[in-house]
Amino acid sequence: QVQLVESGGGLVQAGGSLRLSCAASGRSFSGYGMGWFRQTPGKEREFVAAVSWNTGSTWTADSVKGRFTISRDNAKNTVYLQMSGLKPEVTAVYYCAASRSTTRLLFTLSYDYWGQGTQVTVSS
């Protein structure tokens, strides 16, 4: 059974930091791109950040550049999202995902496996 499990979410004050983790189990994700997305009620799931498997290249949404950093530890099958300078508008459920593609990582349809999400809430 392939699983992606997010952790690290919670309630923080504006300006604070969180580190989200996504642990994969059931198989190796060697060769897979990994991404983070977020979603709020009534809105489409949107891209936050992605990282390649082989080169470590990263991509981040313009809205979070300079504040969010994505990274991965392939030996542990784990991807991270370091979030700093948090603002109330980033409040959402955050999802991690794995993709066989390394060229379309900005799009939800490119991903083959999804976690259940972890809630991030930033208070004013």
Side-chain angles (χ1 to χ4, degrees):
Q1 182 69 38
V2 176
Q3 296 185 62
L4 298 174
V5 181
E6 301 96 336
S7 63
L11 174 64
V12 299
Q13 295 183 9
S17 299
L18 285 174
R19 188 181 73 159
L20 306 184
S21 299
C22 177
S25 63
R27 63 169 294 171
S28 171
F29 281 86
S30 177
Y32 283 69
M34 301 293 294
W36 286 96
F37 292 77
R38 65 188 179 193
Q39 188 169 28
T40 56
K43 297 183 179 180
E44 296 292 324
R45 192 167 298 183
E46 67 174 348
F47 170 77
V48 176
V51 59
S52 69
W53 172 79
N54 58 339
T55 66
S57 297
T58 62
W59 301 264
T60 55
D62 289 342
S63 61
V64 302
K65 284 183 178 178
R67 297 184 295 109
F68 289 14
T69 302
I70 188 171
S71 62
R72 68 189 297 171
D73 185 335
N74 291 338
K76 297 181 179 179
N77 277 334
T78 301
V79 62
Y80 305 95
L81 185 68
Q82 180 66 49
M83 311 164 67
S84 61
L86 291 172
K87 302 176 181 179
E89 53 262 41
V90 309
T91 294
V93 177
Y94 283 72
Y95 299 88
C96 68
S99 175
R100 297 183 181 90
S101 172
T102 59
T103 60
R104 295 281 186 176
L105 296 181
L106 304 188
F107 303 99
T108 59
L109 292 178
S110 297
Y111 290 82
D112 304 287
Y113 305 99
W114 291 86
Q116 294 299 306
T118 185
Q119 177 71 45
V120 172
T121 302
V122 182
S123 62
S124 301

